[in-house]
Amino acid sequence: MNYALCFPGQGAQSIGMGKEIYKSARDVFAEADDSLSFHLTKLIFEGDEAELTLTKNSQPAIMTVSIAALRALTNELGANINPVCCAGHSLGEYTALAASGVLEFHDAVRLVRDRGIFMQEAVPAGQGAMAALMGLDEDGVKNLCDSVAPDGEIAPAGVNELIDKAIESAKTFGAKRAVKLNVSAPFHSKFMKPAADKLKAEFEKISWNEAKYDIIANVSAKPVKNPDEIRKSLYAQTFSPVLWQQSVNFMIDELKVDTFIELGPGEVLTGLIKRIRKGINLYSSSKPEKLEDIAKCLL
């Protein structure tokens, strides 16, 4: 079995996520709380949905639950982790870096907290949005965005009004479905350039290691392993489109991945991969029994 570990991005958050694995990965939640100097665990388990959805909170929260799932898989269930590669959607790429040893978890969770703050500062909460477009190729997305905002203001991320127009028009351009994502800012668009510049300065303050496993970069859909190229790709990722479909196809066609294991809350990536390619083995850690299924296939 050739498998890839993949990690979800923002939008997968929900109150109570990760509660079932808390006992198996208590140390991960404690480390996140200590690193951030506030009770992130309480927010995840008992907090307000609107507060959790804020970028500065949802990013470290999703990373924490994702790494907790990985820790439960190895420590509690005895799984042997040796993927062909790791990948993550947006925020999930940072989780992939923590999973592959590029970043220590305490550094990674602080970095994504800062990332969330910088992104939120770039566009005030409620003034930006993102949409997911299903069944539309790159040219279709570009044509749709150009029709709504000829000056290139969305990609498809931008101010609320333009995203709403794009969703309304999506089907006429061939999209099977268009939905507004549960995020609080227009990520991966030109609005995020100031956030990227601030992040670049933070990159210099932490240690980066060679990756144990290839990381499939969002900006290129190609493997990166060297810390220098990882930092460059992360910088560009902040204001560039996420090439998730191309990444999945590369992993299947070039790296011969036949199984994807999604670690983290929900099954967003599992659903996306299912639409991208048929006949691929898919696992997620969204429920304790599903985590046990993953462990069995890795023993």
Side-chain angles (χ1 to χ4, degrees), residues 11-20 43-49 52-53 58 61-62 65 182 265-266:
Q13 71 276 354
S14 63
I15 296 297
M17 62 182 182
K19 255 187 178 179
E20 307 91 343
L43 173 60
I44 295 171
F45 294 164
E46 305 168 14
D48 175 72
E49 189 79 39
L52 181 63
T53 299
S58 60
I62 292 167
V65 173
N182 185 23

Side-chain angles (χ1 to χ4, degrees), residues 18-27 29 76:
K19 255 187 178 179
E20 307 91 343
I21 57 173
Y22 177 73
K23 289 183 180 178
S24 302
R26 191 188 305 262
D27 58 326
F29 291 96
E76 183 75 12

Side-chain angles (χ1 to χ4, degrees), residues 194-216:
D197 292 337
K198 291 178 182 178
L199 261 177
K200 192 174 185 180
E202 294 303 314
F203 291 167
E204 303 305 318
K205 299 177 183 178
I206 57 178
S207 298
W208 299 72
N209 306 308
E210 194 85 5
K212 295 177 188 173
Y213 324 109
D214 281 340
I215 305 295
I216 308 305

Side-chain angles (χ1 to χ4, degrees), residues 194-266:
D197 292 337
K198 291 178 182 178
L199 261 177
K200 192 174 185 180
E202 294 303 314
F203 291 167
E204 303 305 318
K205 299 177 183 178
I206 57 178
S207 298
W208 299 72
N209 306 308
E210 194 85 5
K212 295 177 188 173
Y213 324 109
D214 281 340
I215 305 295
I216 308 305
N218 284 179
V219 295
S220 64
K222 296 289 190 295
V224 290
K225 208 166 186 178
N226 175 275
D228 285 338
E229 60 183 358
I230 288 172
R231 284 191 293 267
K232 287 176 184 176
S233 68
L234 284 181
Y235 171 75
Q237 184 233 59
T238 316
F239 54 86
S240 304
V242 173
L243 303 182
W244 185 250
Q245 180 171 327
Q246 296 92 323
S247 295
V248 170
N249 286 329
F250 178 86
M251 287 184 270
I252 295 171
D253 295 334
E254 302 299 326
L255 301 183
K256 308 307 177 187
V257 168
D258 54 36
T259 302
F260 288 88
I261 298 172
E262 179 178 5
L263 296 178

Side-chain angles (χ1 to χ4, degrees), residues 112-295:
V112 298
R113 168 77 169 180
D114 289 339
R115 180 178 186 259
I117 291 171
F118 299 154
M119 286 177 154
Q120 201 66 72
E121 287 174 346
V123 179
Q127 292 187 23
M130 295 183 72
L133 306 172
M134 277 70 85
L136 207 56
D137 61 19
E138 288 181 68
D139 288 339
V141 172
K142 184 178 185 305
N143 291 336
L144 169 62
C145 291
D146 287 346
S147 76
V148 175
D151 59 355
E153 285 185 51
I154 64 172
V159 294
N160 266 316
E161 296 80 5
L162 293 177
I163 291 299
D164 289 339
K165 285 182 182 178
I167 290 173
E168 289 173 11
S169 305
K171 286 192 176 180
T172 64
F173 283 82
K176 293 179 182 177
R177 190 170 173 235
V179 294
K180 187 177 280 190
L181 297 177
N182 185 23
V183 298
S184 58
F187 310 139
H188 306 290
S189 70
K190 68 178 185 180
F191 297 100
M192 292 295 119
K193 185 64 165 57
D197 292 337
K198 291 178 182 178
L199 261 177
K200 192 174 185 180
E202 294 303 314
F203 291 167
E204 303 305 318
K205 299 177 183 178
I206 57 178
S207 298
W208 299 72
N209 306 308
E210 194 85 5
K212 295 177 188 173
Y213 324 109
D214 281 340
I215 305 295
I216 308 305
N218 284 179
V219 295
S220 64
K222 296 289 190 295
V224 290
K225 208 166 186 178
N226 175 275
D228 285 338
E229 60 183 358
I230 288 172
R231 284 191 293 267
K232 287 176 184 176
S233 68
L234 284 181
Y235 171 75
Q237 184 233 59
T238 316
F239 54 86
S240 304
V242 173
L243 303 182
W244 185 250
Q245 180 171 327
Q246 296 92 323
S247 295
V248 170
N249 286 329
F250 178 86
M251 287 184 270
I252 295 171
D253 295 334
E254 302 299 326
L255 301 183
K256 308 307 177 187
V257 168
D258 54 36
T259 302
F260 288 88
I261 298 172
E262 179 178 5
L263 296 178
E267 298 183 336
V268 173
L269 298 184
T270 299
L272 289 175
I273 295 167
K274 191 182 296 184
R275 292 186 183 95
I276 293 168
R277 291 289 279 267
K278 304 297 182 185
I280 297 297
N281 300 314
L282 299 168
Y283 293 88
S284 79
S285 65
S286 58
K287 295 179 181 178
E289 60 269 23
K290 293 190 174 186
L291 199 60
E292 291 173 6
D293 290 339
I294 294 171

